[in-house]
Amino acid sequence: METAEAQTLRPFFDESRWSAADKKRSLGIAYFEAAQAEKDPGLASIYKSKASSLLSESYDLGLRDPALEARLARLYFQIDHIKALPLAQSVLSYKDKDGWDRSTALFIVGWERLKRREFKDARQALRDLVTVRRYPHDWLLLADACKGLDDRAGFDEAMRMARKIQPRLSLPR
């Protein structure tokens, strides 16, 4: 069986007038998207590594925008890096973020706040998250935050919604 080989991504558009940071950002986002689409875990890991390096470099060069920061936050989140939460919070401060950027940032903020047992802040982020995407596991996280606050009605509603979205979901008893 032949093993797949990582591809080197190249710009499609003329970047001659772009700054070095913008070139790294563009290529980093492309590698991030390639990693998300890649089914081979080894290749996905290579693409994530390239994305992380390029996006970190462009961020270190002073670029700030929600697309860059959301992807970098997601990459950091996947390796439990301390910078994931501040980057996700930064994404939420932008007015011009898209739905993916916003939902990614809300998920990371909710998860990280839950992990730190900051249930009130986790619940708020997760309530916002479930208004922008329909994933049963987001509702389960919201249920955890409600449980941490002794919010029985919120817990019951979140569990009910998780089951409604995915009826075969096995829930803890």
Side-chain angles (χ1 to χ4, degrees), residues 12-157:
F12 182 76
F13 296 105
D14 175 20
E15 309 180 306
S16 61
R17 294 188 177 147
W18 292 10
S19 70
D22 284 317
K23 289 176 186 177
K24 289 177 188 294
R25 175 198 177 276
S26 178
L27 195 53
I29 289 174
Y31 274 111
F32 179 90
E33 298 302 329
Q36 299 305 303
E38 181 56 57
K39 294 192 186 333
D40 180 307
L43 292 178
S45 179
I46 291 169
Y47 295 146
K48 282 180 190 178
S49 177
K50 288 182 179 186
S52 181
S53 176
L54 290 162
L55 293 172
S56 294
E57 288 174 32
S58 63
Y59 186 82
D60 291 345
L61 288 169
L63 276 188
R64 301 291 186 270
D65 69 73
L68 178 144
E69 292 176 41
R71 283 154 184 82
L72 193 53
R74 182 67 185 201
L75 291 165
Y76 284 160
F77 173 78
Q78 291 170 344
I79 60 169
D80 200 24
H81 193 290
I82 195 165
K83 290 183 181 178
L85 180 59
L87 277 169
Q89 291 172 312
S90 176
V91 170
L92 295 175
S93 71
Y94 290 98
K95 291 183 181 179
D96 60 344
K97 59 194 166 291
D98 69 16
W100 189 91
D101 297 341
R102 182 169 186 240
S103 63
T104 296
L106 287 168
F107 171 80
I108 292 169
V109 170
W111 178 277
E112 291 293 329
R113 293 294 185 207
L114 249 177
K115 189 168 79 172
R116 290 169 173 79
R117 304 183 59 76
E118 297 169 358
F119 299 117
K120 187 176 178 184
D121 291 336
R123 181 177 63 180
Q124 184 58 55
L126 294 165
R127 278 184 175 161
D128 291 348
L129 177 61
V130 298
T131 67
V132 294
R133 71 181 192 188
R134 189 174 162 87
Y135 293 171
H137 292 91
D138 294 343
W139 284 96
L140 293 176
L141 290 174
L142 177 56
D144 285 345
C146 290
K147 184 177 181 181
L149 293 167
D150 292 324
D151 174 4
R152 184 64 191 190
F155 174 83
D156 289 343
E157 177 193 3

